[in-house]
Every structure is written in C-alpha cells, then in structure tokens.
Amino acid sequence: MVVFLKQISLRFFSLLLSIFLLNGCTAVGYYTQSIVGHTSLMLSRKPIDDVLITADAPLKKKLSTAVKIRQFAIDQLALPDNDSYTSYVKLKNNSPVWNVVAAEEFSLQAKQWCYLVIGCANYRGYYKRESAEEYAKELRTEGYEVLVSGAAAYSTLGWFADPLTSAMIARNDVYLAELMFHELSHQKVYVKNDSRFNEAFASAVGEQGAIVWLKATQQQGLLDHYLESLSVRDDFLTLVNQAKTELSILYASDVSEEIKRHKKKLIFEKMKAGYLTFKKEKWSNKGWYSYWFSKPINNARLVSIATYRDLVPDFVALFERCDSDFSRFYQKVEQVSTTPERSLAVECDV
C-alpha cells in the first residue's frame, strides 16, 4: 500500500500549507493530519541495532528475522538497498494508517482521490482510525458504500526510510517477508494514477518473493502452509470474481433500482453460500476467510480486493516468462509501465 504524503518533508510544510489554503479547509485538515501523523511516526523510529540491545527475547527474535529478510530482499530479489526497515516503531495502535475505500451503490469502480506528486489512488489514508471512520460516515451520507481497514505498513516510495512497525512483526515470518517485499517493490516500480497496476505488481513480488525466501531458508513447514493459503486465496478470488461478473451485468441493466438492490442481495448471499461450500468441501472446515465473511459484503470491499488482486495472475505469468528472474522482471515491468495500454501480455525480451 502507498500512502500519498510520504514524499513530503517538514521543510516543505509551510509551502504546502500555503498551497492547501487555496483549496479550502477540508484539504488543509486532511494534509495537516497526514504531515503530523507521518512526522510523528518518523520521529518515533529507533535503529534496530539499538532496539536489539534491550529487547526481550520474542522481540529480538522477530527483529533479527526482519533484518535477515531485508538483506534477502536486497541480495536475492534485487529490491532497493537503502535505509528502509533498518529502524523500528512500536505503535500505540495496531495499525499505522487506516484506509478508506468507497464505491457507489451500483458500481464496481473505486472512488479515486488525487494528491500531489503521486497522482490519484483508489484509497484515502488516515493516521487515526477515528478520522477515517468520520470521513467514511460522510461518504455514506453521500450514498457511497465504504470500507475502512487498517494497514500494517505503508511505502514512502523511497522518500523516507520506512520503519518496521509492531504491526508488521506481529505477523508470522512468511507474511512479514511477503509484506516487506511488497512494500519495497513500490520503490522499484510506481505508476502515477494506477493503483491496480502498482498494488498488483507489489502483491506479485511479495508472494513470489516469499516462496523463494521459504525455499532458500528451507522452511518446508511454513512453505507448505503458505502454498495452501495461496490455493485457498484462489478459491476465495473465484467467489469474488463470480460475484463481480454478475454484479457488473446487473448494474449495467435497465431494471429498476429496487430490483437491482434485491438481486444484489441475492448475489452476495450466493457468494457467502459458495464460501460455506468451499469451507466444508475443500478447506477441511478451517477458518480461512471467516472474518471477511463475518462482515456485510458491499461494493467497496469487492473493489478493494480488485485493486490488489485483479492483475496479479498477469504479473506472475510475466515473471515466469522472465524465467523467474527478478531483475529481468522489473526491467520488463518498467518498460510496460511507460506504455499507454500497460499490457502485461508481452514477452520478456530484456
């Protein structure tokens, strides 16, 4: 995930504030909370080497693992070698940022917000959950369906030295590795105004990188579990894509809004029934995605998944055509990113 204001340092605060004043109080308030929130996070960082001196055994173990994962990212995945993830922040809450995603009642197009420098994105980030929930409430009054979700990390696109957060290391080792690879990949390739491209690319790098890391470190048990989770995820995405296809047809139809609401409800019920079938017949009654299905389904939740997942199979296929060579893959993705169509159905001729 990329939060829009990471590239702005304190020395630009007065200049930015003068610009935002031209855009009204809403812009001032939003950018101010971003500057304050990000600055607070950056000022709370401590070098990992210093933290390791006084850390208890569990924290020391997790941070030591994170250090190894970062070095693996540099040495084996050709990801940027900078000061990102050389510091640590213990959060007061369980997420450093909270994202708001929105979509209209009869649309699977994510609402976009546009920012300085990075362009437009399919989400709006807040450093306080209360602020995100307040904004979500405003959007609901405007007729939007909304998702508010916490993120364990975010990328500053290389403008700052991104820290490890306590939310990141709370994950098990493989998901910590996946997340670090994901966020570092945003520093490798980033396209303005295309969240789907950026997030799917990062997701593909995170997952393929995690597999390579587990194999290299001979963690067979974790690898087996991770591959199982990816298979289950594919089942889940089958349900999501089926629902999206049916909803797209429904939303484009000429039936009344009342009928659309009724059929939309039935599609969501069908999706949940499919989940229960997968859980019983394929997932051995394990609790995969039980939390996701415990919440009401809406368009915003579906488009959030689409942002991160729709293009992942295309990126993985390109990665394989590049002989699973990360450097060649990045070069090709960079080439593709500069073309108007950004088609991933190309040969890896680099």
Side-chain angles (χ1 to χ4, degrees):
M1 187 210 77
V2 178
V3 174
F4 66 94
L5 207 57
K6 323 305 184 307
Q7 65 270 45
I8 299 171
S9 64
L10 284 175
R11 67 181 180 271
F12 295 129
F13 179 81
S14 60
L15 172 61
L16 286 173
L17 193 56
S18 67
I19 294 172
F20 302 149
L21 284 170
L22 301 176
N23 296 324
C25 294
T26 300
V28 173
Y30 179 65
Y31 283 104
T32 299
Q33 68 86 29
S34 299
I35 292 171
V36 172
H38 178 65
T39 300
S40 176
L41 191 71
M42 293 296 102
L43 292 176
S44 299
R45 294 175 299 175
K46 295 181 179 179
I48 289 178
D49 289 344
D50 292 350
V51 177
L52 286 171
I53 296 173
T54 57
D56 58 25
L59 178 58
K60 185 174 293 187
K61 182 178 179 181
K62 292 295 290 190
L63 290 178
S64 297
T65 298
V67 169
K68 294 175 183 177
I69 290 170
R70 175 184 172 276
Q71 196 60 49
F72 186 88
I74 296 165
D75 295 341
Q76 303 300 321
L77 307 186
L79 288 169
D81 181 5
N82 52 37
D83 288 335
S84 291
Y85 305 128
T86 61
S87 62
Y88 171 70
V89 174
K90 183 176 181 180
L91 302 171
K92 295 179 181 179
N93 301 302
N94 58 356
S95 294
V97 292
W98 295 84
N99 289 326
V100 179
V101 178
E104 295 179 354
E105 183 182 8
F106 302 121
S107 173
L108 292 175
Q109 293 294 317
K111 177 178 173 60
Q112 287 203 325
W113 292 269
C114 296
Y115 313 107
L116 295 174
V117 183
I118 74 158
C120 302
N122 290 357
Y123 37 72
R124 189 169 176 90
Y126 288 86
Y127 284 85
K128 293 183 179 179
R129 182 173 185 172
E130 296 80 5
S131 299
E133 295 287 2
E134 183 178 346
Y135 183 58
K137 185 177 180 180
E138 292 178 18
L139 290 172
R140 291 188 185 99
T141 63
E142 296 174 13
Y144 286 98
E145 297 182 358
V146 183
L147 166 68
V148 176
S149 61
Y154 62 77
S155 172
T156 63
L157 306 181
W159 288 82
F160 291 90
D162 300 329
L164 282 166
T165 69
S166 51
M168 294 174 70
I169 65 169
R171 301 183 170 208
N172 74 23
D173 289 353
V174 65
Y175 292 109
L176 170 61
E178 179 190 283
L179 181 58
M180 289 176 67
F181 301 155
H182 177 114
E183 299 300 344
L184 284 169
S185 70
H186 283 310
Q187 299 182 25
K188 199 75 178 180
V189 179
Y190 182 81
V191 181
K192 269 190 172 184
N193 306 323
D194 199 336
S195 295
R196 289 173 72 251
F197 189 93
N198 296 326
E199 298 299 349
F201 166 69
S203 294
V205 173
E207 290 166 11
Q208 296 304 307
I211 292 171
V212 171
W213 176 71
L214 288 170
K215 290 179 178 178
T217 53
Q218 299 182 330
Q219 300 185 73
Q220 190 61 46
L222 267 181
L223 176 60
D224 291 342
H225 183 271
Y226 186 62
L227 293 176
E228 180 187 10
S229 75
L230 295 183
S231 176
V232 169
R233 182 212 61 202
D234 288 342
D235 290 337
F236 170 68
L237 292 175
T238 296
L239 297 176
V240 171
N241 291 331
Q242 287 176 346
K244 284 168 54 186
T245 297
E246 294 176 15
L247 288 169
S248 295
I249 295 171
L250 174 63
Y251 295 160
S253 69
D254 295 328
V255 299
S256 68
E257 290 189 353
E258 182 179 357
I259 293 175
K260 284 183 180 179
R261 289 190 185 98
H262 174 68
K263 290 189 174 182
K264 175 181 177 181
K265 180 180 178 182
L266 295 179
I267 291 170
F268 288 157
E269 289 175 354
K270 178 182 175 182
M271 185 182 179
K272 190 164 187 176
Y275 150 70
L276 294 173
T277 298
F278 275 135
K279 181 179 179 180
K280 179 180 179 181
E281 297 181 1
K282 295 190 68 176
W283 303 347
S284 303
N285 282 315
K286 294 180 181 178
W288 303 101
Y289 292 98
S290 58
Y291 180 79
W292 196 93
F293 281 98
S294 70
K295 306 294 182 181
I297 305 171
N298 65 25
N299 292 336
R301 299 186 75 199
L302 296 183
V303 301
S304 178
I305 294 169
T307 296
Y308 282 79
R309 302 302 323 176
D310 276 0
L311 296 179
V312 170
D314 297 328
F315 276 109
V316 172
L318 179 58
F319 177 69
E320 292 172 350
R321 291 196 296 277
C322 291
D323 299 322
S324 300
D325 183 312
F326 284 92
S327 292
R328 290 182 63 206
F329 175 61
Y330 301 148
Q331 290 178 52
K332 193 60 189 181
V333 171
E334 183 68 40
Q335 288 181 8
V336 168
S337 73
T338 62
T339 64
E341 64 278 4
R342 287 195 277 278
S343 172
L344 297 164
V346 293
E347 293 302 317
C348 190
D349 52 0
V350 294

